[in-house]
Amino acid sequence: MKAKQILIAVLAPLVVGSAQYQFWEYIDPYPWFIFFPTIYLISRYIGFWEGVIASFVTVAIVWRFFITPQFSLDWHLVKSLYPTLAFLLVSYFFCDAQERLRIKQISLKGDFNVLQEEQNETLRLLQENLALDDIKFSQLANSLPQIVWVTASTGENIFFNEEWYRYTGMTHEESMGHGWNKPFHPDDQKRAWEVWQSAVVNSNQYSLECRLRRFDGQYRWWLIRGVPAFNVESKIDKWFGTCTDIDELKSTAEAQKTSQAKLLAAIDSLGDAICISDTEGNFINFNNAFAAFHKFKSKEECAKTLKEYPLFLDIFLPDGTLAKMEQWAVPSALRGESAFDAEFTLKRKDTGESWIGSYNYAPIRNAAGEITGSVVVARDITEKKKAEDDIKSYLHRLELAMEDTLFVLSKTVDMRDPYTSGHQLRVGALSQAIAKKIGFDDKEAHNLKLIGLIHDIGKIGVPAEILSKPVKLTKLEMHLIKTHVNIGYDILKHVNFILPVAEIVREHHERMDGSGYPRGLKGDEILMEARIIAVADVIEAMSTHRPYRPALGIDAALAEIEQGRGSKFDSKVVDACLELFRKDGYKIPENFGLT
């Protein structure tokens, strides 16, 4: 028989817990809601120890399914143990009271006189024990940092712990009866009283968030909870309750709401399309610009999950291939990838409209580093790309015009010195080939070719009869010839080129050992571009005819720069030139183009 009673004591909380779990969304956050009457009934009709067993089974159920246990020694976290202690304490009172009442009922059987004496003695002992229990309850309640209160069945207060008096500054006389309503904020008093009266009349639990005035006049938010205790006649005998300070939690929650509202307002005010998703690709938040970016009429019409977008949208990679779903911004971010200015072409399936989008995306991680979502920022750069293409086209045309201009200038010099016609063009072509051999990129090498076209532009200032004189020049005539580098510098120095063209033109007759002209520069004082043109100039000059001598040939020209390697000419440039002719079979072109 005893085993059956214990089994009932274990099963009853499980059944009640299952029922509470089914209706949890309606009674949250009152984990002890149905268990108080359950413990009372078990202790009332089965026994004291069965009630105790049921109490501990209840604690296990509540801790496992309805609240999160806290085992930290941190003071604020330890507070979560107090409701459990209060429940066990109240349960003990239920069990103890019912056990005593059962003993009392048994003792009433028998002889009337003996029964009367035993009854009187039992009542005396019960009163003493109840008084002792009240003392124990009072001691326990006063040790708690929460406010603990007890009311009579009518709703009048009969007990407050010391925390109430400390917080409110009220006296015992002021607090008893219905004095509990005095510290309530004026805006909360009516609501608090109505909720309390409803609980009393309907024998329901009492729960309310409200503001209580502190002794210094400051109001703080508190969570007030109360549960009824029933007597042997199943009527409410007392109410037990607690008040928990939630002011900081309330302030934090309000601050979070305000912060979130500000963030959402800021996002909506931005012109860039912004979207925040969860790990399933559901769009938690997105702004008006995001809807407009995807060609929706409004934010309400915009698709709100990633899975919807392939139904009306195709996305293409920069090479024109159709992007797979996993290559889109949101899936990439959810894999932990980040990108800045990633370009995609988007096309609506329903209208055929297409546009180019620039995407920035990244994963959202929690404190543990786990991905909890993604953030994507996009903007329409269709017009920007078109403008960039127009600029590139314009610059290309400008470059072609500049090259044509340089070609014309080169031809102008050739007309003054027809015997060396094409010299600048050939020097430019050879300089380009040497530059590539050294390691210049295509653009740099091409620029050097253009400089080669005008490296002798200063000869415009030299008398034509000297340039075309068929015999050896005098010292004075040679001096006049040498002035062409400074004349070229003066012509070009005010022109804004990417490279220091004027300096290169002035230095192309300088030599590594300082024996050149016009300034006798040495080594690294000479620009690399000028060193390249210097070698190309010598090769072209010696391998072609001049008015005062026939062509000496390419072999003699190569021997000349090889002999001057490291002294007159840069070693690196000479080696590149020799390899170009002797190993690569390079030949100076006779027909020229500008590309």
Side-chain angles (χ1 to χ4, degrees):
M1 188 62 180
K2 191 67 175 177
K4 182 178 180 181
Q5 293 175 338
I6 293 175
L7 180 61
I8 293 174
V10 173
L11 291 178
L14 293 175
V15 173
V16 171
S18 176
Q20 178 163 302
Y21 188 84
Q22 294 299 319
F23 297 96
W24 181 241
E25 64 177 303
Y26 303 104
I27 60 178
D28 177 36
Y30 311 118
W32 312 101
F33 182 74
I34 308 179
F35 291 104
F36 276 108
T38 302
I39 300 304
Y40 166 77
L41 293 173
I42 292 174
S43 61
R44 174 71 179 90
Y45 295 105
I46 300 180
F48 171 81
W49 288 109
E50 286 76 9
V52 171
I53 292 172
S55 298
F56 282 94
V57 172
T58 294
V59 169
I61 292 172
V62 172
W63 275 45
R64 176 63 180 84
F65 295 100
F66 300 105
I67 65 174
T68 302
Q70 300 287 349
F71 298 102
S72 171
L73 294 180
D74 182 82
W75 174 253
H76 298 287
L77 298 180
V78 170
K79 287 183 178 180
S80 64
L81 295 174
Y82 295 144
T84 302
L85 294 176
F87 173 79
L88 290 175
L89 179 62
V90 173
S91 298
Y92 170 78
F93 288 153
F94 285 164
C95 298
D96 184 69
Q98 296 307 319
E99 183 68 11
R100 295 178 189 281
L101 289 174
R102 185 163 34 255
I103 294 173
K104 175 184 174 182
Q105 290 173 347
I106 294 172
S107 67
L108 291 176
K109 296 179 182 179
D111 183 77
F112 177 77
N113 294 329
V114 175
L115 182 60
Q116 187 66 43
E117 292 177 2
E118 290 179 353
Q119 184 181 35
N120 291 337
E121 181 65 17
T122 300
L123 289 174
R124 185 183 65 80
L125 292 173
L126 181 60
Q127 289 174 351
E128 291 178 356
N129 288 330
L130 290 176
L132 181 60
D133 288 341
D134 287 341
I135 293 173
K136 291 179 179 179
F137 175 78
S138 177
Q139 291 175 342
L140 176 61
N142 285 326
S143 68
L144 299 177
Q146 291 176 301
I147 293 174
V148 179
W149 51 268
V150 181
T151 73
S153 59
T154 58
E156 296 180 348
N157 275 104
I158 57 176
F159 174 82
F160 276 116
N161 69 341
E162 293 297 331
E163 183 64 17
W164 167 270
Y165 301 116
R166 184 198 67 77
Y167 178 80
T168 62
M170 295 173 62
T171 65
H172 176 77
E173 290 72 18
E174 292 173 327
S175 303
M176 292 301 101
H178 293 297
W180 60 269
N181 199 34
K182 295 177 183 177
F184 279 68
H185 192 281
D187 295 340
D188 298 334
Q189 283 184 349
K190 181 179 179 181
R191 179 168 58 94
W193 180 255
E194 290 175 350
V195 173
W196 172 243
Q197 289 300 305
S198 175
V200 171
V201 171
N202 298 302
S203 301
N204 292 329
Q205 287 192 354
Y206 176 70
S207 181
L208 178 71
E209 290 184 5
C210 59
R211 290 159 289 182
L212 293 181
R213 185 182 65 246
R214 200 164 62 179
F215 65 89
D216 59 1
Q218 180 184 353
Y219 285 94
R220 293 178 64 85
W221 281 95
W222 289 75
L223 173 61
I224 304 177
R225 293 173 174 174
V227 293
F230 297 88
N231 58 21
V232 293
E233 298 176 353
S234 298
K235 295 182 179 180
I236 295 178
D237 182 49
K238 294 179 182 179
W239 289 77
F240 294 91
T242 60
C243 301
T244 304
D245 189 337
I246 60 169
D247 192 74
E248 293 182 2
L249 293 176
K250 196 83 171 177
S251 298
T252 301
E254 291 297 327
Q256 289 178 340
K257 289 181 181 179
T258 302
S259 177
Q260 185 177 18
K262 290 180 179 178
L263 176 61
L264 296 181
I267 289 176
D268 264 338
S269 69
L270 296 176
D272 288 345
I274 300 177
C275 172
I276 299 173
S277 80
D278 61 16
T279 54
E280 300 299 322
N282 301 313
F283 298 160
I284 300 172
N285 208 320
F286 57 89
N287 61 355
N288 292 317
F290 185 81
F293 175 78
H294 291 100
K295 312 305 178 184
F296 287 102
K297 294 180 180 179
S298 67
K299 189 175 180 180
E300 290 69 30
E301 291 185 8
C302 186
K304 297 173 178 61
T305 66
L306 179 64
K307 294 179 180 178
E308 297 177 66
Y309 277 77
L311 300 176
F312 62 85
L313 190 69
D314 281 331
I315 295 184
F316 299 89
L317 299 174
D319 61 3
T321 59
L322 183 66
K324 299 178 181 178
M325 172 70 79
E326 59 267 24
Q327 294 176 297
W328 291 19
V330 171
S332 297
L334 292 176
R335 290 196 303 270
E337 300 174 12
S338 299
F340 183 78
D341 286 345
E343 290 187 10
F344 295 94
T345 299
L346 297 86
K347 184 178 181 180
R348 288 283 300 229
K349 292 181 177 180
D350 50 356
T351 63
E353 184 178 5
S354 64
W355 65 99
I356 303 173
S358 175
Y359 285 80
N360 300 338
Y361 56 82
I364 299 173
R365 300 179 186 272
N366 60 19
E370 300 168 332
I371 296 176
T372 59
S374 71
V375 58
V376 176
V377 180
R379 63 176 59 178
D380 189 336
I381 59 170
T382 306
E383 294 300 322
K384 177 184 176 184
K385 293 292 290 185
K386 183 179 182 301
E388 289 177 352
D389 291 341
D390 291 344
I391 291 173
K392 287 180 181 178
S393 177
Y394 171 76
L395 290 176
H396 180 66
R397 294 196 303 271
L398 194 62
E399 287 177 355
L400 292 178
M402 182 189 71
E403 292 179 12
D404 288 343
T405 301
L406 295 178
F407 186 79
V408 169
L409 289 174
S410 176
K411 285 297 184 181
T412 302
V413 176
D414 288 347
M415 292 182 66
R416 287 183 53 80
D417 185 9
Y419 294 101
T420 60
S421 177
H423 166 70
Q424 293 187 108
L425 293 171
R426 290 188 289 272
V427 169
L430 180 53
S431 296
Q432 181 184 31
I434 294 173
K436 286 185 177 181
K437 198 72 175 177
I438 290 176
F440 282 42
D441 62 31
D442 290 343
K443 183 65 175 178
E444 293 170 336
H446 182 71
N447 288 338
L448 193 56
K449 173 185 177 180
L450 298 180
I451 296 173
L453 292 178
I454 56 171
H455 77 280
D456 277 343
I457 192 173
K459 287 183 178 180
I460 291 176
V462 178
E465 57 271 19
I466 295 178
L467 294 175
S468 58
K469 190 175 181 179
V471 295
K472 185 177 181 179
L473 301 178
T474 65
K475 289 184 178 181
L476 178 60
E477 290 170 336
M478 282 299 300
H479 177 73
L480 289 174
I481 288 288
K482 290 181 179 181
T483 61
H484 80 280
V485 292
N486 283 324
I487 295 172
Y489 173 78
D490 289 337
I491 293 172
L492 300 171
K493 66 182 180 181
H494 295 301
V495 181
N496 186 18
F497 288 100
I498 298 175
L499 294 173
V501 177
E503 290 291 344
I504 295 170
V505 167
R506 182 164 62 171
E507 294 177 8
H508 78 274
H509 279 291
E510 299 285 359
R511 298 296 180 255
M512 299 296 287
D513 57 4
S515 60
Y517 65 88
R519 293 183 293 169
L521 301 179
K522 296 182 179 180
D524 292 338
E525 294 176 344
I526 307 170
L527 295 171
M528 175 56 74
E529 292 83 357
R531 299 181 216 173
I532 294 173
I533 292 179
V535 170
D537 193 34
V538 170
I539 294 294
E540 199 285 333
M542 292 184 66
S543 60
T544 56
H545 293 285
R546 288 293 183 266
Y548 50 85
R549 61 151 175 83
L552 300 177
I554 190 64
D555 291 334
L558 295 177
E560 175 69 17
I561 64 169
E562 189 172 22
Q563 183 178 358
R565 180 184 181 278
S567 56
K568 292 184 179 182
F569 308 110
D570 183 277
S571 299
K572 186 176 181 180
V573 176
V574 170
D575 291 342
C577 184
L578 293 176
E579 183 177 348
L580 196 64
F581 280 95
R582 292 175 178 174
K583 291 186 178 181
D584 299 344
Y586 178 82
K587 295 184 182 297
I588 298 176
E590 296 181 0
N591 297 318
F592 305 97
L594 292 179
T595 58

